[in-house]
Every structure is written in C-alpha cells, then in structure tokens.
Amino acid sequence: LVHGFGANWYHWRHNIPALSKRHRVYAVDLLGFGLSDKPIVVYSGDLWAKQLSDFIREVVRPRTKVALAGNSLGGFASLAAAVAAPELVQGVALLNSAGRFSDPAVPKKAIGGDEDDELLSAGTVASVGTLTTAIQAQIKKAFTRAVLGASFYFTKQPARVRQVLEQVYASDRSNVDDALIESILHAADDKNAQEVFCRIVSRNALPAVTIDDLLSRLDPDARVLLLWGEKDPWIRSTVADRIQELRPCAERVSIDAGHCPHDEAPDAVNRALEEWLEGLLL
C-alpha cells in the first residue's frame, strides 16, 4: 500500500486491518514522506519506483509476485515500480493516481532535465544576453524557493491541513479527524522537511515520465484496477477514462468519494480490493 503526496502509511489505517485478515500487507512510507528518511536528493518517479522494487526484493521477499495499491502520487510510483520490476509485480491498483499524459504538440524534455540547472551549469557565458538570462534564472529560482518556503509554513498549519482534507473528502468527512491530521503534521517537523517539500513541488516530482509511457511499457499480463473516487476535485474521473482508453483490459470500480477513497470510503475500497486480489490468486 503506497500513500499519496504529503501523507504516509497511516492513511491506510482503515484498510490494513481488513486486508491483513487474508493477505500479508505492507504499507510503505515513500522517501521524503512520513517516517522514511528525507535525504537531500533529486526526487522523482524513478527514485520511488526503485525504493518500492528494492523493498519488495529485500523486505517482502515474496515467493510469488505481489500486488501494489497506490493513491495519488503513490499510484504513479506503484505503476512505475511495476514497469521497472515486472518480475515482482502481478497487478497494480490505482486509486485516483497522479501523473500526466503526453501532449503530442509539446516536445519531450530530456529525462531528469531541469532547464534552469542546464542554463546555469553551462560553464561559460557567451554573451551579455546569456548572462542576463542566467541572472534572471537565478532570481526566479530564489523567488520560487522563498514562495515555496512560505507555502510550506502555511501548509503545515493544522487548520490548513484540515481545510485541504475537507475539500477532497467529497462525500463523507467523518474520517478527517485529529489523528489523521497529526500523522501528516508529524513528518513536517523533520529538519529536512521544508527542503524536500521545495524540491518535490518545484520539480513537480514527475518531470519526464508520463502515464501513457508507463502503460505502454507495462507487462501485458499485469492486471490493472482503477479504484476511483468519482468526486475527486483534483484528479477527475476523465483521467481514469483516459487510462482505460490506453489499457482497455483495466478493470474499474467507481467509489462515491473524493481524492482519497481508501480513507473516505474504506469499506467499499476494501471490498473491491479483496475481490480483485482473489482474482490475482495471491
């Protein structure tokens, strides 16, 4: 089970007990989140995919392939892990998965590219115009960092966390409780938390790889379940529609919930996951 942006393993609090009655269940904190380390590195889908595949190999050590279930950013990371390690993953359940699709009209950037970094690491400045551009880029980065720092301080306030959660729990807000808010705020006290936040948000964390690219490389035999909160104000149901167009064999279960269906409507999500897992013969 893989959480979304800003969350951690505790977001699966209503799923772990139910699923663990019949299955061995692990809930992972992605690097940079929750109780996991927050190293000062470049955060990307590739990093989290490697973390998940390494975790499966070294900790889970399964006798058969595993199933991954991820919400939001965790959905993207789970899909990336399934592509990176097809020998380990039998199926992926995407719960309102984050990510972007290719735009044929926009040329692809180099993997891991950062336009500002490329500009400032060129080594020499060939003209006054280039120097001006370099200075502007430095100012832009400094300004962006200042804004993100202020945003981090604002975002980690308990009232703001509650407000955001109540916006995305579309049908039932009863699980937006103090325990959930405290679990989110706890990680924000880490000394590297603000820097990690800035690095992830400023790079958008998913700069190069698209959902359609991952789906095109996913093992044809891998099972995909779209477990979708149909009232999500952030990642709308049209995203699930598009995934189904790209992966017609994907199964879909609609949930009367918002962005975090597993916590907002855990009973419905648990039933759907149980049925899907039975089909995988795990």
Side-chain angles (χ1 to χ4, degrees):
L1 303 176
V2 190
H3 62 82
F5 180 83
N8 53 72
W9 74 268
Y10 185 73
H11 212 188
W12 300 97
R13 56 191 170 157
H14 298 303
N15 314 105
I16 296 170
L19 296 175
S20 62
K21 290 178 181 178
R22 302 185 65 182
H23 306 280
R24 189 155 54 115
V25 178
Y26 295 85
V28 179
D29 279 353
L30 294 173
L31 281 172
F33 298 100
L35 298 177
S36 282
D37 289 344
K38 296 166 183 60
I40 306 304
V41 298
V42 175
Y43 285 87
S44 67
D46 287 344
L47 175 72
W48 293 313
K50 186 176 188 307
Q51 178 194 355
L52 292 176
S53 58
D54 286 348
F55 181 85
I56 295 168
R57 288 191 184 94
E58 299 174 19
V59 178
V60 179
R61 301 175 67 181
R63 292 189 296 270
T64 60
K65 292 184 178 183
V66 307
L68 297 173
N71 171 232
S72 192
L73 175 63
F76 184 90
S78 297
L79 183 59
V83 170
E87 73 281 5
L88 297 175
V89 181
Q90 184 174 4
V92 184
L94 304 177
L95 290 78
N96 296 67
S97 182
R100 61 184 177 84
F101 296 97
S102 297
D103 182 348
V106 179
K108 290 185 177 179
K109 294 181 182 179
I111 292 178
D114 185 307
E115 292 173 349
D116 293 343
D117 288 344
E118 290 169 3
L119 173 65
L120 297 175
S121 64
T124 55
V125 178
S127 66
V128 173
T130 305
L131 176 60
T132 301
T133 303
I135 293 173
Q136 289 173 340
Q138 287 180 312
I139 293 172
K140 176 184 175 184
K141 293 184 78 171
F143 177 74
T144 298
R145 179 164 291 275
V147 170
L148 289 174
S151 174
F152 174 79
Y153 177 80
F154 176 63
T155 300
K156 73 173 189 173
Q157 301 307 308
R160 177 55 180 163
V161 173
R162 182 179 294 277
Q163 180 186 36
V164 170
L165 290 172
E166 288 180 345
Q167 288 174 353
V168 299
Y169 281 54
S171 295
D172 184 353
R173 298 186 177 93
S174 61
N175 282 339
V176 180
D177 53 27
D178 292 343
L180 177 60
I181 293 169
E182 176 58 31
S183 75
I184 294 171
L185 292 176
H186 179 74
D189 291 332
D190 187 279
K191 61 184 177 63
N192 287 343
Q194 180 173 329
E195 176 63 21
V196 169
F197 175 85
C198 291
R199 285 172 176 249
I200 293 174
V201 174
S202 64
R203 291 182 61 88
N204 197 25
L206 313 171
V209 182
T210 60
I211 295 175
D212 37 313
D213 177 47
L214 290 176
L215 290 173
S216 70
R217 293 188 285 132
L218 184 65
D219 187 328
D221 294 329
R223 296 272 297 278
V224 176
L225 171 65
L226 302 176
L227 198 46
W228 221 263
E230 299 290 347
K231 295 180 179 178
D232 189 346
W234 289 350
I235 302 178
R236 300 184 183 278
S237 58
T238 51
V239 173
D241 296 340
R242 179 63 177 145
I243 293 175
Q244 283 188 293
E245 292 175 5
L246 295 167
R247 186 85 172 185
C249 61
E251 304 163 63
R252 181 169 177 176
V253 176
S254 295
I255 305 294
D256 182 23
H259 186 61
C260 309
H262 58 295
D263 193 58
E264 184 181 348
D267 290 342
V269 168
N270 291 338
R271 284 194 300 271
L273 282 174
E274 282 284 8
E275 292 178 8
W276 181 66
L277 289 170
E278 287 299 317
L280 293 181
L281 300 177
L282 293 180

